[in-house]
């Protein structure tokens, strides 16, 4: 077809990141090859599966297996325990016992390492102590996905190569820069704005709203820069979600995937036109 | 993509329609540069007919803004459609460019 | 030599550190360089507003030391953060805060009460953040007090401020150094004084963990916005990030003279280039 390198970037967005499955469906159907996959936070899970060459259908199944409310084990009791002082908090803590999540992620990713994936993969996390972006591209896929997914306060950070890593969304919610750095030409960037809360009924809700404000502004500011800095074309794909989605609304999965597919389809003619030019 | 130019007082209004992308952006750049070379630095880009703008298209608009501003003028946007507005918001353009609902108010913003 | 280039001073968020802008102004005054517009965010809005009103630099130093004192957040309830984790005990809404804002309101009223944007000798823009939509809000007309109060509504510490039907919080949540406002308003040379949030070396409590994470996000937001504005501007943006060797805490107002000195040095370093720019 042509020699332009196509990279896809899947940003952070919790369960909404499953919209990436819809994107892959569209690209596969059109025979558009993917040369590089970049992911951040929830998007890391899908980026990793796409890089491993897992089919769209299998990705959907794995989402249902990985992403259930059981991974929030002990959240409420730990939250209470921080209040009466019986739970001490430090930089390695989280409000959730991560054993269930780790078990699921091990089952999904232990068979892979970065080396030997069907497509090159880069995942983004944050160095908690230094506040810097860390790009993971070697070794255990489990470690990288786990680190990139470590929502601050909720899940304990994950140590990789001596660095304490958390959710990549704190530095780079839609890491287009990693694709630029790798020499990508055409970049398809699927990002998610977090939904703002209408009402805030608790301290955690206020804290969450504050984080959402930061991350939405960070997404815009980083994208604005990448957009000017890149020499070739970036296609932003921002699926629309009319209602805010809960973290574990897996029953909405088919709808999320359909929205991702629709958003990708809307952009497709332009992508094809550029690739054929 | 098509462009047309109309002078309203000392303001040059460049009306654009269609899609501004990597393939059509050079044409838009040429149309705007011609205005600047003719000494028109107070520009309005009327985007009411624009249904899409890509990252390459945005960089052309920005180039024009920088050029006019460094000559003491400005490029202001008018009539942005909701879909295009979404891309302009995401790309930071609505926070650094002045934009107006229609070409009339954009022209008036230069103070006649 | 007077220049036709329009100069903007943008003062970012940084509480007491924002007084460094006064040091910068000392240098400009000495050089006979006048500022054509001021933009202020959070703590920076306190200084931007007084400078725009034409208050002498030395008077501003005194006024800000008297305004910004430790008792603004008096009677710290060390358990408040944790107690608030149980919302059932507290009537909770978006205006929630851990501190009473009556004193800070009174102090701000004393300094800014009765003043309006319209009487500023130099155009003034103050930024806040819409708490519900996350968008930056630029305030440039009407009474000064509500604008400044909104711009420095530090989340969780001071309550959000309602203005024209919008719930506003601290400007640093949308852009800790709002250079974009100066670009949009037609500035040529932009002096951008910003401050990075400090990182903790150990996160021994939940509160420290939250502060750390907030600092990480706000520093990255500062960098990302600046990276964009730097590329997007047609002229020059001079970034001034004063480096403090002494630790300057949230209420270390006794360090204001030191902070001003550091700001003065930061500006002096860039002065030769600024002179060249204005002469060109």
């Amino acid at each position: 077809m042509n020699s332009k390198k196509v990279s896809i970037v899947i940003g952070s967005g919790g369960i909404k990141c499953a919209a990436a499955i819809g994107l892959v469906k569209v690209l596969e159907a059109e025979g558009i090859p993917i040369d590089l996959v970049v992911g951040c936070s929830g998007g890391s899970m899908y980026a990793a599966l796409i890089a491993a060459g897992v089919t769209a259908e299998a990705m959907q199944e794995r989402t249902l297996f990985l992403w259930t409310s059981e991974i929030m084990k002990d959240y409420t009791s730990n939250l209470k325990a921080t209040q009466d002082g019986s739970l001490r908090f430090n930089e390695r803590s989280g409000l959730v016992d991560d054993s269930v999540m780790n078990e699921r992620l091990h089952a999904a990713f232990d068979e892979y390492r970065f080396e030997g994936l069907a497509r090159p993969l880069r995942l983004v996390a944050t160095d908690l102590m230094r506040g810097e972006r860390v790009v993971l591209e070697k070794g255990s896929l489990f470690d990288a996905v786990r680190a990139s997914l470590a929502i601050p306060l909720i899940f304990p950070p994950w140590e990789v190569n001596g660095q304490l890593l958390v959710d990549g969304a704190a530095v780079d919610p839609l890491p287009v820069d990693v694709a630029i750095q790798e020499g990508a030409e055409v970049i398809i960037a699927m990002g998610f704005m977090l939904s703002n809360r209408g009402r805030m009924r608790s301290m955690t809700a206020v804290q969450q709203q504050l984080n959402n404000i930061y991350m939405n502004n960070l997404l815009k500011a980083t994208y604005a820069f990448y957009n000017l800095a890149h020499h070739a074309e970036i296609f932003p794909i921002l699926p629309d979600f009319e209602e805010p989605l809960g973290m574990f609304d897996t029953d909405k999965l088919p709808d999320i995937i359909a929205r991702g597919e629709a958003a990708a389809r809307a952009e497709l003619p332009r992508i094809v036109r550029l690739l054929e030019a | 993509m098509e462009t047309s130019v109309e002078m309203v007082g000392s303001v040059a209004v460049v009306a654009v329609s269609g899609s501004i992308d990597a393939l059509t952006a050079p044409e838009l750049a040429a149309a705007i540069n011609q205005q600047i070379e003719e000494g028109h630095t107070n520009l309005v880009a009327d985007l009411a007919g624009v249904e899409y703008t890509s990252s390459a298209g945005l960089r052309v608009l920005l180039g024009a803004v920088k050029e006019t501003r460094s000559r003491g003028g400005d490029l202001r946007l008018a009539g942005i459609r909701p879909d295009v507005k979404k891309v302009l918001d995401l790309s930071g353009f609505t926070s650094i460019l002045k934009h107006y609902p229609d070409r009339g108010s954009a022209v008036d913003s230069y103070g006649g | 030599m007077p220049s036709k280039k329009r100069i903007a001073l943008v003062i970012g968020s940084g509480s007491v550190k924002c007084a460094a802008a006064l040091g910068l102004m000392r240098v400009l005054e000495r050089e006979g360089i006048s500022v054509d517009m001021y933009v202020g965010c959070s703590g920076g809005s306190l200084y931007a507003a007084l400078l725009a009103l034409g208050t002498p630099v030395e008077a501003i130093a005194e006024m800000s030391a008297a305004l910004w004192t430790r008792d603004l957040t008096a009677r710290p309830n060390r358990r408040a953060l944790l107690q608030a984790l149980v919302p059932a005990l507290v009537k909770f809404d978006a205006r929630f805060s851990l501190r009473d804002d009556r004193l800070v309101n009174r102090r701000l009223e004393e300094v800014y009460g009765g003043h309006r944007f319209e009487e500023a000798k130099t155009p003034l823009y103050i930024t806040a953040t819409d708490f519900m939509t996350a968008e930056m809000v630029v305030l440039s007309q009407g009474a000064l007090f509500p604008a400044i109060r909104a711009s420095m509504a530090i989340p969780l510490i001071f309550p959000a401020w309602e203005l024209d039907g919008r719930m506003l919080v601290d400007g640093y949540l949308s852009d800790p150094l709002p250079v974009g406002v100066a670009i949009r308003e037609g500035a040529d040379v932009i002096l951008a004084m910003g401050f990075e949030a400090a990182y903790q070396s150990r996160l021994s409590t939940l509160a420290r963990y939250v502060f750390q994470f907030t600092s990480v996000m706000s520093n990255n937001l500062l960098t990302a916005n600046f990276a964009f504005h730097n590329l997007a501007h047609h002229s020059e943006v001079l970034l001034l990030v004063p480096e403090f060797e002494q630790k300057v805490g949230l209420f270390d107002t006794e360090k204001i003279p030191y902070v001003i000195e550091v700001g003065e040095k930061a500006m002096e370093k860039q002065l030769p280039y600024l002179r060249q720019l204005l002469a060109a």
Side-chain angles (χ1 to χ4, degrees):
Chain A
M1 189 168 171
N2 76 94
S3 60
K4 288 195 189 81
K5 264 188 88 178
V6 176
S7 298
I8 62 172
V9 182
I10 316 291
S12 73
I15 185 78
K16 290 179 192 168
C17 298
I21 299 173
L23 169 64
V24 169
K25 274 189 187 172
V26 173
L27 296 181
E28 274 175 4
E30 296 298 320
I32 296 172
I34 302 166
D35 299 291
L36 172 73
V37 194
V38 181
C40 173
S41 192
S44 283
M45 242 165 55
Y46 296 97
L49 293 171
I50 294 165
V54 175
T55 64
E57 233 164 272
M59 277 196 265
Q60 187 166 345
E61 271 167 40
R62 297 216 192 168
T63 305
L64 291 171
F65 165 72
L66 280 164
W67 204 257
T68 65
S69 56
E70 287 155 73
I71 66 175
M72 291 298 276
K73 201 176 155 208
D74 297 339
Y75 174 69
T76 316
S77 56
N78 283 344
L79 194 62
K80 282 191 181 131
T82 56
Q83 171 223 355
D84 62 25
S86 62
L87 182 77
R88 295 284 301 269
F89 213 86
N90 68 29
E91 61 264 20
R92 288 173 190 272
S93 311
L95 289 172
V96 163
D97 174 347
D98 58 347
S99 56
V100 178
M101 180 168 74
N102 291 345
E103 206 177 282
R104 304 253 173 104
L105 289 176
H106 273 301
F109 293 107
D110 268 359
E111 59 179 296
Y112 306 111
R113 297 176 64 76
F114 277 91
E115 299 79 8
L117 288 173
R119 295 161 177 140
L121 171 71
R122 304 284 181 272
L123 300 181
V124 172
T126 302
D127 181 324
L128 177 63
M129 305 313 287
R130 286 149 34 101
E132 287 165 8
R133 188 195 79 174
V134 175
V135 180
L136 300 156
E137 53 186 313
K138 279 184 206 150
S140 148
L141 213 51
F142 164 82
D143 279 342
V145 174
R146 170 65 180 79
S148 185
L149 271 177
I151 306 172
L153 291 178
I154 310 284
F155 298 117
W158 195 254
E159 192 175 320
V160 180
N161 302 325
Q163 283 175 302
L164 220 41
L165 302 182
V166 292
D167 197 332
V171 280
D172 206 4
L174 184 59
V176 171
D177 53 340
V178 178
I180 296 176
Q181 216 168 24
E182 295 296 331
E185 287 167 301
V186 177
I187 299 174
I188 301 171
M190 182 172 255
F192 308 91
M193 297 300 266
L194 300 166
S195 3
N196 295 299
R197 310 176 77 94
R199 282 179 175 184
M200 290 164 241
R201 292 186 185 282
S202 69
M203 177 91 169
T204 32
V206 171
Q207 191 59 51
Q208 213 168 61
Q209 173 75 359
L210 292 171
N211 288 350
N212 288 359
I213 291 176
Y214 268 122
M215 287 184 191
N216 282 346
N217 282 300
L218 197 53
L219 171 65
K220 277 201 228 169
T222 50
Y223 185 82
F225 172 63
Y226 305 150
N227 182 50
L228 289 192
H230 189 42
H231 70 286
E233 206 68 286
I234 306 174
F235 295 97
I237 299 183
L238 306 167
D240 276 322
F241 295 92
E242 277 132 32
E243 47 184 311
L245 287 168
M247 230 167 119
F248 300 101
D249 282 346
T250 41
D251 55 315
K252 308 248 172 73
L253 209 55
D255 179 56
I256 294 170
I257 296 169
R259 281 172 194 268
E261 195 173 338
R265 273 236 172 264
E267 206 64 24
L268 186 67
R270 302 184 183 108
I271 298 172
V272 171
R273 195 160 158 243
L274 186 75
L275 290 177
E276 285 174 351
Chain B
M1 189 203 69
E2 280 175 35
T3 61
S4 65
V5 182
E6 187 198 346
M7 292 301 298
V8 184
S10 62
V11 180
V13 181
V14 181
V16 193
S17 60
S19 173
I20 313 175
D21 55 31
L23 308 172
T24 59
E27 203 181 312
L28 176 62
I32 292 175
N33 285 339
Q34 196 191 333
Q35 291 309 307
I36 297 173
E37 274 162 31
E38 287 172 12
H40 306 135
T41 53
N42 285 349
L43 302 184
V44 168
D46 184 347
L47 304 182
V50 172
E51 69 229 15
Y52 174 75
T53 175
S54 78
S55 57
L58 289 174
R59 288 195 292 271
V60 165
L61 282 179
L62 187 73
V65 175
K66 287 188 182 183
E67 196 54 42
T68 52
R69 283 183 179 167
S70 56
R71 294 170 188 235
D74 201 1
L75 172 79
R76 297 179 182 172
L77 307 180
I80 310 165
R81 292 191 193 178
D83 275 1
V84 173
K85 174 89 171 14
K86 209 169 139 184
V87 177
L88 290 173
D89 281 339
L90 177 68
S91 311
F93 274 59
T94 45
S95 65
I96 55 160
L97 290 190
K98 296 199 174 182
H99 53 97
Y100 302 87
D102 51 60
R103 82 154 67 188
S105 46
V107 168
D108 291 346
S109 72
Y110 284 107
Chain C
M1 203 181 78
S3 161
K4 272 192 242 157
K5 294 203 173 74
R6 299 192 67 197
I7 301 176
L9 172 59
V10 183
I11 313 173
S13 72
S15 67
V16 171
K17 290 178 186 165
C18 298
L22 298 178
L24 178 150
M25 285 305 293
R26 271 188 194 159
V27 178
L28 295 189
E29 282 180 3
R30 207 186 298 146
E31 293 290 318
I33 298 168
S34 59
V35 172
D36 301 292
M37 73 173 80
Y38 292 96
V39 182
C41 166
S42 192
S45 73
L46 295 174
Y47 296 95
L50 289 170
L51 288 167
L53 288 171
T55 317
V57 165
E58 302 312 320
I60 299 176
E62 277 172 39
M63 289 161 92
S64 63
L67 187 156
W68 191 253
T69 55
R70 208 169 294 273
D71 52 359
L72 288 184
T73 56
R75 292 188 200 167
N77 179 359
R78 297 176 61 198
R79 293 179 60 84
L81 181 98
L82 301 179
Q83 284 167 333
L85 288 169
V86 193
L89 302 176
V90 203
K91 184 174 169 281
F92 215 98
D93 68 9
R95 253 172 288 208
F96 167 81
S97 79
L98 295 170
R99 296 293 182 272
D100 189 311
D101 65 337
R102 275 175 293 191
L103 185 57
V104 73
N105 291 346
R106 204 164 64 224
R107 293 268 180 84
L108 289 175
E109 280 281 10
E110 278 165 18
V111 178
Y112 304 96
H115 290 295
R116 302 175 62 82
F117 279 93
E118 290 77 5
E119 56 184 282
K121 297 186 170 61
T122 311
L124 167 70
Y125 304 91
I126 288 174
T127 65
T129 304
D130 186 316
F131 200 21
M132 298 302 161
T133 67
E135 282 161 13
M136 182 200 279
V137 177
V138 182
L139 304 162
S140 59
Q141 48 194 353
L144 274 181
F145 163 77
I148 291 171
R149 173 62 180 75
S151 184
M152 49 179 289
I154 311 170
L156 301 177
I157 306 284
F158 296 131
W161 191 262
E162 199 177 325
L163 188 59
D164 299 330
R166 281 191 292 200
M167 198 67 89
L168 301 182
V169 288
D170 204 313
Y172 80 68
L173 283 160
S174 46
D175 189 351
L177 182 61
V179 171
V181 179
I183 296 179
R184 187 172 59 189
E185 295 303 329
D188 296 304
V189 174
I190 300 175
L191 304 173
M193 187 168 252
F195 308 91
E196 288 194 310
Y199 291 139
Q200 321 266 330
S201 53
R202 293 237 36 220
L203 312 181
S204 47
T205 62
L206 181 64
R208 277 175 179 262
Y209 192 112
V210 173
F211 287 143
Q212 174 78 358
F213 192 63
T214 302
S215 299
V216 169
M217 286 189 291
S218 94
N219 285 343
N220 281 294
L221 190 55
L222 177 86
T223 310
N225 273 311
F226 188 77
F228 168 62
H229 293 139
N230 204 23
L231 283 193
H233 191 40
H234 70 281
S235 180
E236 201 62 288
V237 187
L238 295 186
L239 177 64
L240 298 113
V241 183
E243 281 169 36
F244 298 94
E245 279 157 21
Q246 298 179 28
K247 191 172 177 290
V248 181
L250 192 56
F251 293 103
D252 289 345
T253 31
E254 71 281 3
K255 291 203 173 144
I256 284 183
Y258 163 72
V259 170
I260 294 177
E261 214 175 285
V262 175
E264 197 171 341
K265 280 189 194 136
M267 186 63 244
E268 269 164 1
K269 241 195 243 173
Q270 302 254 27
L271 188 61
Y273 181 49
L274 177 62
R275 280 201 201 114
Q276 282 177 3
L277 267 181
L278 296 180

